[in-house]
């Protein structure tokens, strides 16, 4: 086999790349929150942001070999699940009240 | 028991009376109120009598005067300036106190009778006691600051008492006028005090006198300015030109108030102050001549106005102004003891005149117009006889009191030099006018037949007649002490010119001239008001404009109104109402409200209800926070600036 | 191996995320998100978190995303319609995102302390995880279960009330 190829296979991934990926996913989540017009899609962007943070936690847990990082991810998943359930229920309730899922039309909280 | 050690009680007893009557008076029965109110002047008078008798009995005690009693608690102690609550008893203050407490006590008794049917009985007596407190403080004060406390205080008491019938607009206005005009004078007093502190570093009279005596350089200049400022204060308080306008209006107050405050005591505070500061005035001949000229001019001016007044109290008010002019004339020729002598005799007969007038008014049920009186000599005998004594006294008939005092002043003026002779002439003419208008009053009020047949005048109660009698006796004998003995008595405290009546040629001649003038005045009044009662009307018809000028008091009030009051009101209305209130404050309020509304209108658009915009702002906030925290601004700024510089350089 | 796997699955993550943004139908976005979740599970495996990888697939991709799909189909959400829009979100939001991303990326790439990940190194077994979870962190664990219970209750109430009202109204209308 090509030695360069073997070297490539044995290379390590710097943890920084994981973190940059996490940051990128997070930013994409924020962008999604900003530009999406469907309420459910906006909610999905939130889940994307949560996942990006999870990745970052796992990365650091790997670096210092701390179990606590992964436990934190566990809890984040729990809370995200609960939040998803309640959030979607709210979306259903809102849909029942306003008959629309367009984010811009649900503006009852304006002055 | 040596009463002099309890000097501080003399002011404090009236003050206690004021507090008691002021706070509890309304709930107390009238006799108790009167007793409380009378106790203070009686106690003070007894104390002063005891002190005087003690001093008289042992002449060596006189050398211990001035007796200074200082409150152990300090008052003002700032840097090099030092002022204490100190009371000074010397011959001058002793004389003043005798007059104040003695005549004051008599007037208190009179008031019990006069005010017995009036509302606000307790209030009246508490104010009277308050006045007594301040007046004694003024007279006993050892430094100008404490004197100023008394000075202002008597002005306050005067305001309260003039406006006693406060529901009457004219009375309230008169009170205000008195206080405001007094304030103008007080401004002069204050400036004088400031200059005293600036130049002498002290306000204590003895220290100022010492400093003036030590350095002969104090002649004219600053001393004149100080003297003139103090003079302004004196003209305000003693109703001289140009600040006399409040005294005639002050007749709105009850008659005993007019007697006490505007005849016997408060208006003499100016004269007292000048006498107290005589060392200062002696060092400024210019100020002295100003005082003399003001005194003489006021005396003549007021006497001319009194000629045509028809209200009995107005006549007496202008008479007071005129006699105060005499006292100022006396001070102006450095004959301070003569001025104080006249002050004393004037207190007797002027208080008597006012109280008798009050008795007349009381007897007629409130009538004050001379044209509606007449024939009262039968109906009010005691009042008539006491008033007669007073009229003869003020006209200057010997051996009644005013003859000696007026004579002393006129003699001092005459012997001053050529200017003195002019002043003497003015004084003489004023004496003629005084005699004339007083006898005019006497004839119109008492003699002849009643011009108002419906009234049933009744004689006053004993509480009113008693003081009248005592004052009449004092008017008769008060002057007999003679100016020489009086002058010698006062000399340690007022020094200056001792009246030298040893010149046998001049003095008797002047005396005879004065008596002749008094008789002439009587004769003219007799012929105009008793013999030929139609004559005054014909005289008025002959000189209509002159008469109008006098009746309207030379239009001085109107002139002041146009020159001073109206512009002041206009300016304050403009500045305070338009500039400050409307423009500045209103503008400020409008501005603040406008800012709030404007900001609110802008910020309101932020709360759009749009989730996406909220999210955008949250993201922006997070970005800002991260920027603020993560970027090492300490190094980034200089580095980025250097980078930009490099780029721009190339 | 590690590098190739990382690049591959990181690419899947990014592709899925970008697809989520680009799609107009919510169901497509949901499916893209599922792709992201599973790729992330693989990345967790690469980092030695076995349990979390499994949990990610079971809970996230398998339950939450399914829930999302159910709701999309329940509400019959169609393609996104052009709505009023928000200028603020574009004017202020995008620069903010750019700032956040660039800041974090700069700091991470300049950091010295980060090491490298090796395959089959630093693997955390489930045993280790549960040892800490059920002993030291038992209270938060139990609290979380209560939280989930509350969430279930809340969701049931929120989603059912409308149903009851609708039924009542329709009954009255009839």
């Amino acid at each position: 086999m090509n030695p360069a190829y073997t070297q490539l296979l044995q290379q390590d991934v710097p943890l920084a790349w994981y973190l940059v990926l996490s940051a990128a996913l997070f930013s994409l989540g924020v962008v999604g929150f900003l530009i999406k017009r469907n309420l459910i899609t906006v909610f999905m962007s939130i889940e994307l942001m949560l996942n990006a943070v999870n990745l970052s936690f796992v990365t650091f847990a790997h670096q210092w070999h701390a179990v606590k990082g992964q436990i934190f991810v566990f809890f984040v998943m729990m809370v995200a699940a609960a939040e998803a359930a309640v959030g979607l229920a709210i979306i259903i309730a809102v849909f029942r009240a306003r008959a629309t899922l367009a984010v811009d039309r649900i503006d009852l909280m304006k002055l | 028991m040596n009463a002099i050690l309890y000097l501080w009680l003399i002011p404090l007893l009236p003050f206690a009376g004021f507090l008691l009557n002021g706070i509890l008076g309304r709930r107390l029965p009238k006799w108790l109120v009167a007793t409380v109110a009378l106790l203070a002047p009686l106690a003070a008078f007894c104390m002063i009598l005891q002190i005087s008798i003690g001093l008289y009995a042992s002449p060596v005690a006189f050398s211990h005067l001035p007796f200074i009693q200082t409150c152990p608690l300090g008052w003002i102690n700032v840097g090099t300036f030092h002022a204490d609550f100190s009371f000074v008893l010397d011959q001058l203050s002793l004389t003043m106190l005798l007059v104040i407490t003695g005549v004051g006590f008599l007037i208190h008794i009179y008031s019990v009778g006069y005010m017995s049917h009036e509302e606000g009985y307790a209030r009246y007596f508490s104010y009277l006691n308050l006045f007594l407190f301040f007046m004694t403080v003024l007279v006993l004060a050892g430094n100008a600051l404490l004197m100023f406390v008394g000075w202002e205080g008597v002005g306050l008491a005067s305001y309260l008492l003039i406006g006693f019938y406060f529901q009457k607009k004219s009375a309230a206005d008169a009170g205000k006028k008195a206080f405001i005009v007094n304030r103008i004078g007080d401004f002069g007093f204050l400036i004088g005090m400031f200059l005293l502190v600036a130049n002498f570093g002290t306000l204590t009279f003895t220290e100022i006198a010492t400093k003036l005596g030590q350095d002969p350089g104090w002649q004219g200049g600053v001393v004149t300015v100080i003297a003139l400022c103090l003079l302004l204060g004196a003209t305000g308080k003693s109703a001289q030109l140009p600040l006399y306008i409040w005294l005639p209006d002050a007749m709105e107050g009850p008659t005993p108030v007019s007697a006490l405050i505007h005849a016997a005591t408060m208006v003499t505070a100016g004269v007292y102050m000048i006498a107290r500061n005589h060392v200062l005035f002696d060092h400024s001949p210019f100020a002295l001549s100003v005082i003399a000229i003001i005194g003489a001019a006021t005396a003549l001016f007021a006497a001319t106005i009194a000629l045509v007044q028809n209200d009995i109290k107005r006549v007496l008010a202008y008479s007071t102004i005129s006699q105060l002019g005499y006292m100022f004339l006396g001070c102006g020729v450095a004959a301070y003891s003569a001025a104080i002598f006249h002050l004393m005799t004037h207190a007797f007969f002027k208080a008597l005149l006012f109280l008798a007038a009050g008795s007349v008014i009381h007897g007629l049920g409130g009538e004050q117009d001379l044209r509606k009186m007449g024939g009262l000599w039968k109906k009010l005998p005691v009042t008539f006889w006491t008033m007669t004594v007073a009229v003869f006294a003020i006209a200057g008939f010997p051996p009644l009191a005013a003859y000696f005092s007026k004579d002393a002043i006129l003699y001092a003026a005459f012997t001053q030099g050529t200017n003195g002779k002019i002043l003497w002439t003015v004084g003489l003419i004023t004496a003629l006018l005084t005699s004339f208008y007083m006898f005019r009053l006497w004839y119109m009020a008492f003699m002849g037949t009643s011009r108002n047949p419906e009234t049933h005048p009744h004689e006053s109660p004993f509480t009113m007649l008693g003081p009248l009698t005592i004052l009449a006796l004092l008017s008769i004998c008060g002057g007999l002490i003679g100016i020489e003995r009086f002058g010698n008595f006062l000399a340690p405290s007022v020094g200056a010119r001792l009246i030298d009546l040893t010149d046998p040629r001049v003095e008797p001649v002047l005396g005879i001239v004065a008596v002749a003038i008094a008789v002439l005045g009587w004769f003219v009044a007799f012929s105009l008001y008793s013999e030929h009662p139609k004559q005054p009307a014909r005289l008025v018809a002959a000189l209509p404009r002159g008469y109008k000028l006098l009746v309207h008091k030379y239009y001085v009030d109107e002139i002041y109104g146009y020159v001073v009051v109206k512009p002041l009101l206009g300016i304050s209305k403009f500045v305070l109402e338009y500039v400050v209130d409307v423009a500045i404050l209103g503008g400020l309020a409008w501005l603040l409200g406008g800012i709030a509304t404007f900001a609110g209108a802008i910020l309101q658009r932020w709360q759009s209800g749009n989730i996406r915009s909220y999210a955008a702002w949250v993201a922006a906030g997070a970005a800002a926070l991260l920027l603020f925290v993560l970027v090492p601004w300490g190094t980034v700024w200089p580095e980025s600036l250097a980078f930009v510089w490099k780029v721009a350089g190339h | 191996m590690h590098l190739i796997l990382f690049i591959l699955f990181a690419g899947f993550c990014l592709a899925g995320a970008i697809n989520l943004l680009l799609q107009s139908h919510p169901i497509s976005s949901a499916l893209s998100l599922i792709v992201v979740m599973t790729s992330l599970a693989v990345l967790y495996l690469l980092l030695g978190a076995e349990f979390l990888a499994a949990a990610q697939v079971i809970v996230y991709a398998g339950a939450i995303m399914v829930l999302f799909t159910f709701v999309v189909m329940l509400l019959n959400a169609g393609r996104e319609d052009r709505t009023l829009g928000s200028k603020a979100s574009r004017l202020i939001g995008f620069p903010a995102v750019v700032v956040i991303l660039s800041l974090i990326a700069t700091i991470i790439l300049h950091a010295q302390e980060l090491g490298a990940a090796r395959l089959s190194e630093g693997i955390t077994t489930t045993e280790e995880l549960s040892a800490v979870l059920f002993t030291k962190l038992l209270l938060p664990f139990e609290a979380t279960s209560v939280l989930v219970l509350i969430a279930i209750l809340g969701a049931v109430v929120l989603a059912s009330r409308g149903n009851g009202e609708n039924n009542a109204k329709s009954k009255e209308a009839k």
Side-chain angles (χ1 to χ4, degrees):
Chain A
M1 222 194 275
N2 202 343
Y5 189 58
T6 334
Q7 218 196 3
L8 191 67
L9 279 177
Q10 283 161 348
Q11 247 191 346
D12 292 324
V13 177
L15 282 177
W17 292 15
Y18 280 100
L19 292 174
V20 172
L21 173 65
S22 157
L25 284 176
F26 184 84
S27 323
L28 286 171
V30 176
V31 171
F33 193 107
L34 291 174
I35 67 171
K36 284 311 204 171
R37 293 195 198 95
N38 192 313
L39 199 52
I40 301 178
T41 320
V42 164
F43 207 52
M44 283 194 264
S45 320
I46 296 177
E47 294 298 326
L48 180 57
M49 284 193 257
L50 280 168
N51 276 288
V53 171
N54 278 352
L55 177 62
S56 149
F57 271 119
V58 174
T59 315
F60 282 116
H62 179 91
Q63 160 157 21
W64 286 306
H65 208 279
V67 179
K68 282 194 197 140
Q70 296 187 7
I71 292 182
F72 205 89
V73 173
F74 175 81
F75 281 119
V76 170
M77 278 193 216
M78 274 318 99
V79 171
E83 169 224 357
V86 175
L88 286 169
I90 291 174
I91 290 178
I92 295 176
V94 166
F95 180 77
R96 288 221 177 94
R98 303 282 289 165
T100 176
L101 282 173
V103 161
D104 297 321
R105 294 239 170 81
I106 303 169
D107 56 0
L108 287 172
M109 291 259 292
K110 70 174 171 196
L111 272 177
Chain B
M1 150 158 126
N2 202 354
I4 203 169
L5 293 171
Y6 294 92
L7 205 58
W8 50 274
L9 269 182
I10 293 178
L12 282 179
L13 282 173
F15 189 65
F18 155 70
L19 283 177
L20 265 168
N21 270 333
I23 298 174
L24 300 172
R26 272 214 266 184
R27 279 162 261 178
L28 298 173
K30 279 196 176 161
W31 62 267
L32 189 57
V33 169
T35 320
V36 168
L38 284 177
L39 267 179
L42 179 64
F45 183 60
C46 291
M47 281 179 68
I48 302 211
L49 260 184
Q50 206 242 18
I51 297 172
S52 325
I53 294 173
L55 285 173
Y56 188 72
S58 66
V60 73
F62 270 113
S63 58
H64 289 291
L65 294 177
F67 175 78
I68 303 181
Q69 188 172 61
T70 314
C71 176
L73 306 157
W75 190 12
I76 300 180
N77 225 328
V78 176
T80 48
F81 178 65
H82 185 74
D84 266 329
F85 292 118
S86 63
F87 290 145
V88 173
L89 188 74
D90 60 0
Q91 290 89 340
L92 178 61
S93 53
L94 188 64
T95 317
M96 292 294 296
L97 278 174
L98 275 169
V99 170
I100 295 167
T101 50
V103 177
F105 178 59
L106 289 173
I107 294 180
H108 273 74
I109 299 179
Y110 181 92
S111 304
V112 173
Y114 191 82
M115 302 293 288
S116 56
H117 300 301
E118 296 276 354
E119 293 261 325
Y121 196 74
R123 181 164 61 101
Y124 175 83
F125 277 106
S126 68
Y127 288 161
L128 266 190
N129 273 5
L130 181 70
F131 168 79
L132 217 57
F133 162 66
F134 278 122
M135 193 71 205
T136 45
V137 165
L138 195 159
V139 166
L140 281 172
N143 56 51
L145 201 56
L146 192 59
M147 179 190 265
F148 191 63
V149 171
W151 189 271
E152 289 282 352
V154 294
L156 170 70
S158 166
Y159 160 77
L160 289 170
L161 284 164
I162 294 173
F164 183 72
Y165 302 115
F166 56 84
Q167 280 115 349
K168 226 167 60 142
K169 183 168 195 297
S170 54
D173 285 343
K176 264 194 298 180
K177 187 174 182 180
F179 197 78
I180 293 173
V181 175
N182 257 296
R183 268 325 248 151
I184 300 175
D186 295 344
F187 169 69
F189 197 114
L190 275 170
I191 301 288
M193 278 206 293
F194 294 154
L195 287 170
L196 277 173
V197 175
N199 287 293
F200 296 95
T202 174
L203 285 176
T204 317
F205 296 125
T206 43
E207 285 178 29
I208 295 174
T210 329
K211 286 205 178 142
L212 276 170
Q214 282 166 350
D215 186 356
W218 290 114
Q219 197 82 1
V222 163
V223 177
T224 311
V225 178
I226 298 177
L228 288 175
C229 289
L230 290 176
L231 174 62
L232 184 63
T235 54
K237 190 64 78 184
S238 294
Q240 299 293 294
L241 292 170
L243 295 173
Y244 70 93
I245 45 175
W246 62 273
L247 192 54
D249 285 26
M251 296 298 116
E252 295 279 345
T255 312
V257 167
S258 308
L260 180 63
I261 298 184
H262 308 125
T265 41
M266 185 183 100
V267 291
T268 56
V271 183
Y272 168 75
M273 188 264 282
I274 294 180
R276 180 56 89 194
N277 283 306
H278 67 95
V279 184
L280 193 79
F281 285 96
D282 282 338
H283 281 255
S284 170
F286 176 70
L288 281 179
S289 43
V290 172
I291 297 178
I293 294 171
I294 288 182
T298 311
L300 185 61
F301 182 80
T304 52
I305 301 181
L307 291 176
V308 297
Q309 294 301 314
N310 289 316
D311 183 327
I312 190 172
K313 285 178 76 172
R314 290 284 154 114
V315 178
L316 295 177
Y318 284 106
S319 162
T320 307
I321 301 175
S322 184
Q323 297 299 310
L324 287 167
Y326 269 111
M327 292 180 224
F328 268 63
L329 176 59
C331 289
V333 294
Y336 303 104
S337 36
I340 301 294
F341 190 37
H342 193 59
L343 191 156
M344 193 173 75
T345 56
H346 174 261
F348 298 147
F349 61 71
K350 193 43 70 62
L352 176 56
L353 277 170
F354 268 109
L355 293 185
S359 178
V360 166
I361 297 169
H362 179 96
L364 287 175
E367 183 56 69
Q368 288 185 262
D369 195 332
L370 280 172
R371 295 168 290 193
K372 301 209 181 91
M373 298 183 197
L376 291 174
W377 64 279
K378 264 189 291 189
K379 309 269 178 60
L380 309 172
V382 180
T383 311
F384 170 67
W385 280 111
T386 50
M387 188 114 184
T388 311
V389 170
V391 168
F392 274 91
I394 192 175
F397 282 92
L400 300 175
Y403 166 71
F404 295 99
S405 52
K406 238 197 262 191
D407 190 54
I409 293 178
L410 288 176
Y411 176 77
F414 189 77
T415 54
Q416 258 288 38
T418 38
N419 295 333
K421 303 235 178 3
I422 300 175
L423 292 172
W424 175 81
T425 322
V426 172
L428 207 63
I429 299 174
T430 312
L432 172 66
L433 294 174
T434 307
S435 168
F436 169 69
Y437 67 67
M438 284 314 297
F439 277 106
R440 165 180 176 263
L441 184 148
W442 190 61
Y443 278 115
M444 282 179 82
F446 290 100
M447 309 304 277
T449 49
S450 172
R451 281 179 279 263
N452 208 350
E454 301 94 57
T455 58
H456 301 289
H458 56 278
E459 188 61 283
S460 309
F462 179 66
T463 45
M464 288 167 69
L465 294 178
L468 285 178
T469 332
I470 298 178
L471 283 171
L473 286 170
L474 281 171
S475 300
I476 296 175
C477 348
L480 291 176
I481 185 174
I483 183 61
E484 281 153 334
R485 259 183 291 171
F486 194 73
N488 286 330
F489 167 70
L490 272 187
S493 54
V494 288
R497 286 182 59 189
L498 298 171
I499 304 300
D500 183 17
L501 292 171
T502 55
D503 192 342
R505 292 173 295 139
V506 181
E507 205 277 321
V509 175
L510 292 180
I512 294 171
V513 171
V515 177
I517 289 290
V519 171
L520 178 63
W522 186 11
F523 181 69
V524 176
F526 169 71
S527 72
L528 279 181
Y529 288 99
S530 193
E531 284 283 294
H532 311 283
K534 301 257 176 33
Q535 196 66 357
R538 264 184 254 152
L539 273 173
V540 166
L543 304 161
R545 258 187 264 141
Y547 179 74
K548 254 191 118 182
L549 189 68
L550 288 181
V551 162
H552 284 124
K553 309 160 278 177
Y554 296 98
Y555 296 104
V556 173
D557 278 317
E558 286 80 1
I559 294 174
Y560 277 170
Y562 272 120
V563 172
V564 177
V565 175
K566 264 196 147 158
L568 208 63
L569 282 176
I571 292 175
S572 9
K573 189 172 165 79
F574 175 69
V575 172
L576 287 178
E577 191 178 328
Y578 292 131
V579 174
V580 174
D581 209 26
V582 172
I584 296 181
L585 292 177
L588 210 65
W590 175 86
L591 195 69
L592 288 174
I595 290 177
T597 318
F598 183 65
I602 292 183
L603 291 175
Q604 195 179 45
R605 295 187 8 219
W606 210 13
Q607 302 279 332
S608 55
N610 191 324
I611 299 175
R612 286 205 274 164
S613 94
Y614 288 174
W617 283 104
V618 171
L625 204 64
L626 281 175
L627 265 177
F628 185 67
V629 169
L630 293 178
V631 174
W633 293 107
T635 51
V636 163
W637 264 129
E639 276 179 21
S640 54
L641 278 175
F643 177 73
V644 168
W645 206 247
K646 230 179 11 173
V647 166
H650 295 305
Chain C
M1 271 314 276
H2 195 164
L3 187 66
I4 297 174
L5 283 172
F6 171 76
I7 291 173
L8 186 63
F9 284 100
F12 278 149
C13 275
L14 285 171
I18 291 172
N19 195 32
L20 180 127
L21 298 178
L22 292 178
Q23 291 294 330
S24 51
H25 202 294
I27 198 72
S28 320
S29 305
L31 293 173
S32 316
L33 193 57
I34 294 178
V35 167
V36 173
M37 304 282 186
T38 23
S39 315
L40 275 178
V42 176
L43 287 175
Y44 290 165
L45 267 179
L46 287 176
L47 284 170
E50 306 173 327
F51 176 74
L52 283 182
Q56 173 90 346
V57 172
I58 298 172
V59 171
Y60 250 117
I64 293 176
M65 291 320 299
V66 169
L67 184 59
F68 266 100
T69 319
F70 277 174
V71 171
V72 168
M73 290 195 278
L74 173 67
L75 298 182
N76 218 355
R79 290 185 178 271
E80 281 189 355
D81 41 354
R82 307 223 104 238
T83 51
L84 306 161
S86 161
K87 277 199 218 132
S89 68
R90 253 172 271 145
L91 281 172
I92 299 166
F94 286 167
V97 174
V98 167
V99 165
I100 293 176
L101 179 59
S102 46
L103 259 183
I104 297 179
T106 320
I107 289 176
I108 292 170
L109 289 174
H110 283 264
Q112 312 289 339
E113 311 87 37
L114 292 171
R118 273 181 179 270
L119 263 185
S120 66
E121 235 190 53
I123 297 181
T124 311
T125 56
T126 315
E127 193 185 336
E128 281 175 53
L129 197 72
S130 51
V132 176
L133 190 62
F134 292 124
T135 53
K136 274 198 283 182
L137 296 175
L138 183 60
L139 183 58
F141 181 74
E142 298 297 336
T144 321
S145 36
V146 173
L147 176 73
V148 171
L149 175 65
I150 295 169
I152 295 171
L153 287 172
V156 165
V157 165
L158 279 169
S160 76
R161 212 191 297 151
N163 233 344
E165 277 177 13
N166 271 351
N167 272 346
K169 277 190 199 152
S170 51
K171 274 189 189 158
E172 283 174 25
K174 286 182 189 164

